[in-house]
Amino acid sequence: MTEPMIQVEGLRKSFGKRAAVDGVSFGVPAGSVMGLLGPNGAGKTTVINCLTTLLRPDAGRVSVAGFDVERDPAGVRASIALTGQFAAVDQLLTGRQNLVLFGRLLRMSRRAAGERATELLARFDLAESGDRGVREYSGGMRRRLDLAAALMVPRPVLVLDEPTTGLDPRSRHAMWRVVRELRSAGTTVLLTTQYLEEADRLADGIVVVARGKVIATGTPEELKGKVGVSVCEVRIDDERARRDALVVLLDRWPDVTEGDGSIVVPGGDARTLAEIVRRLTEAGVETDNVAIRRPSLDDAFFALTGHGALGHHDGSPAASNGRAGAGAGR
Amino acid sequence: MSGAAGFAPAVAVAEGGPVNLVRQSALLAGRNLRVSLGAAAVAGMVITPLLFFFGFLAVFRQMFAAHGIDFAQYLPPAIVVMWVTFTAISAAVLFARDRRTGMLARLRSMPVNSGAVVAGRLASDGVRGLISICAVIAAAHVTGFRFATGVAGAAAFVLLALTVLLVLSVGTGAAGLASTEPEAVGATLHMPAMPLLMLSTAFAPVGGFPSWLRPVVEYSPVSAVVDALRAVAEGTDLAPLGRAAAWLLVLLVVFSRAATRAYRRAT
Ligand SMILES: Nc1ncnc2c1ncn2[C@@H]1O[C@H](COP(=O)(O)OP(=O)(O)OP(=O)(O)O)[C@@H](O)[C@H]1O
Ligand SMILES: [Mg+2]
């Protein structure tokens, strides 16, 4: 086995007294897609910034493509392509001018940069808007241009910070397709996301971080396995009724978790299902649907981070939960 | 292992080096100019300083004449220094904007020579400044401003004004790189700029100030620079040039340190 393409060991970074990244370690094998998953403020972007030489780590070792970020940052920069969390393209230039600028900064000739720009604009569905100013672009178009800019010159490592946040389903699928294509061409991809479905679909491996620490690592299957082979899901749209049901079920199964309009009971077999129905009927709680299903990454995520872990961090449980839940796209 | 087959080679790439620096600076300067040389922007670069020039001239010409000073000859260096200061402040705003939009982070994550980002900014500021300086000189010429030393004097004048602009831009650039609030950094820099310009020999000779203010005016770096520009235009006593050069050198050293630091930290 060769050394991992990205190696992070004991990475620490604080802002003032506050540790944004508190001892994170993981490796990304060459040619694979790694998903860095975590709620708001978990430290994902800070990890990415250390990895792309934008921030200097306080402690730990980070290497990319064999280059150490501290000893050989130029080597790292020459090996990576980055699209940050917010689309970093020039608003006052056209889409094409942006791509050509970045290509030429990477030592392409004017002609080669122009040809590559045309190719990428077409690939990202921007052919018609290529000669319009970026300030006229929609958020999704800007995001796609941002990724295109990162791909002007193929690099062995692609780093994407929340690449599909704010994209409509069509653009999101297009983005996933591009990531898969790049992976099959041998690119190593590290992407952060809050969308569990996205990590599930794209990633070969997942690192879950919360509050600057890694709380779980594994393949999507392994993470899902942590909540059991299957689960029982009780859908109750009415919030009051759901609270009542939660009380009843917690009494019997202390590890149930509350998801988005539903309650998930680990261990999905017919007996559990029957018992759930019996208990809820006895308590007089109306349910919309009770079913056995395979656990989703959402379930794993809630189970791993705990009920409130998503929200407590930035004090807006509704917003965070809503975002993570919406990402599942069920 | 480093670099997989089919990808651009990832062997220790020298992003430093003069060739890269020049090429990338030129590309970034081109980008900056493309962004800031729209018709409206150029009009602002030419018209606004001229408005200041003709405004001051109309109001104060008679008064200065009463004291035996030809204001048409006295004023242009002051307008040039004022405008050069404002141009430098706009460099801070543009840097802060690049930082805020993430453009700067992208450049810093690419194998782009670190000097090129700053040099590209300076070069484009220089071009913008040059346009304004020439406009002021041309307008001043119409009203009777003359270089006693002819073309050589004019060239030296422009060169000195550009040097002032670039030195200031390194300092304002540092402020811009340290900020993510374009509007705030602009407003903050404008605050000390006005009193510094007023408490100098830019708009009135030392003798025009109350005696307790005179030391401030005499030792002001703005006075040093304005006096030097006047000396170059008159071509008589070149002593002020030394004082200006000393100031510019000190400022350049301080500002470059600040700018290097700010660039490294700008995520
Ligand atoms: N430049 C900074 N100065 C101070 N604190 C910072 C800075 N950058 C990040 N932080 C803090 O570090 C923590 C981790 O932030 P980070 O941006 O890495 O999280 P994230 O996982 O990317 O979150 P999100 O999903 O919201 O993008 C947060 O508490 C944040 O407030
Ligand atoms: Mg982030």
Side-chain angles (χ1 to χ4, degrees), chain A residues 38-46 48-49 84-86 161-162 192 194 323:
Chain A
N40 289 132
K44 303 180 296 292
T45 299
T46 308
I48 300 276
N49 284 345
Q85 186 165 357
F86 305 101
D161 197 355
E162 298 195 19
T192 75
Q194 309 191 5
R323 197 172 182 192

Side-chain angles (χ1 to χ4, degrees), chain A residues 93 97 137 157:
Chain A
L93 300 179
Q97 285 170 340
Y137 281 26
V157 177

Side-chain angles (χ1 to χ4, degrees), chain A residues 67 77 90 92 104-105 146, chain B residues 10 15 23 31 35 106:
Chain A
F67 297 107
R77 287 192 281 266
D90 200 319
L92 300 166
R104 299 201 66 208
L105 282 170
D146 195 34
Chain B
E15 58 186 55
R23 195 179 125 86
R31 170 255 173 179
V35 165
R106 161 158 266 154

Side-chain angles (χ1 to χ4, degrees), chain A residues 88-304:
Chain A
V89 282
D90 200 319
Q91 309 271 331
L92 300 166
L93 300 179
T94 66
R96 174 181 301 279
Q97 285 170 340
N98 266 288
L99 296 187
V100 171
L101 171 67
F102 291 124
R104 299 201 66 208
L105 282 170
L106 294 170
R107 307 183 201 197
M108 291 177 103
S109 69
R110 188 191 297 271
R111 184 145 157 231
E115 283 167 4
R116 178 79 176 147
T118 308
E119 184 188 326
L120 286 172
L121 286 170
R123 182 163 168 198
F124 286 92
D125 216 0
L126 292 168
E128 275 149 46
S129 10
D131 292 316
R132 269 170 45 202
V134 172
R135 74 169 110 200
E136 295 171 29
Y137 281 26
S138 73
M141 289 162 77
R142 230 169 262 179
R143 201 76 196 126
R144 299 202 303 266
L145 182 68
D146 195 34
L147 182 59
L151 299 181
M152 280 300 283
V153 173
R155 298 290 189 194
V157 177
L158 176 64
V159 180
L160 304 167
D161 197 355
E162 298 195 19
T164 60
T165 302
L167 292 189
D168 64 23
R170 180 153 163 258
S171 306
R172 184 176 305 165
H173 282 271
M175 188 74 83
W176 290 346
R177 198 182 61 232
V178 170
V179 171
R180 289 203 193 95
E181 283 166 14
L182 289 166
R183 180 187 180 279
S184 36
T187 308
T188 308
V189 182
L190 175 68
L191 59 90
T192 75
T193 182
Q194 309 191 5
Y195 298 142
L196 306 145
E197 185 196 7
E198 181 162 293
D200 193 7
R201 291 205 181 189
L202 283 183
D204 302 301
I206 295 177
V207 177
V208 185
V209 288
R211 300 172 202 207
K213 288 192 160 64
V214 174
I215 56 170
T217 340
T219 63
E221 292 309 315
E222 282 166 356
L223 290 185
K224 283 188 253 171
K226 294 199 178 175
V227 265
V229 187
S230 53
V231 295
C232 286
E233 183 183 50
V234 185
R235 283 212 76 83
I236 305 176
D237 290 333
D238 181 59
E239 174 132 22
R240 258 275 259 337
R242 198 164 65 240
R243 293 268 156 213
D244 295 341
L246 191 62
V247 174
V248 172
L249 297 177
L250 270 173
D251 200 37
R252 168 69 177 81
W253 296 280
D255 45 359
V256 303
T257 53
E258 193 182 358
D260 197 30
S262 68
I263 298 170
V264 175
V265 182
D269 49 48
R271 269 185 45 206
T272 314
L273 186 106
E275 194 176 345
I276 292 171
V277 173
R278 183 174 57 76
R279 281 175 181 266
L280 291 179
T281 316
E282 277 170 12
V285 182
E286 296 258 333
T287 61
D288 292 298
N289 184 26
V290 183
I292 295 176
R293 63 164 172 77
R294 290 173 46 71
S296 72
L297 214 44
D298 267 0
D299 303 327
F301 194 79
F302 284 120
L304 289 166

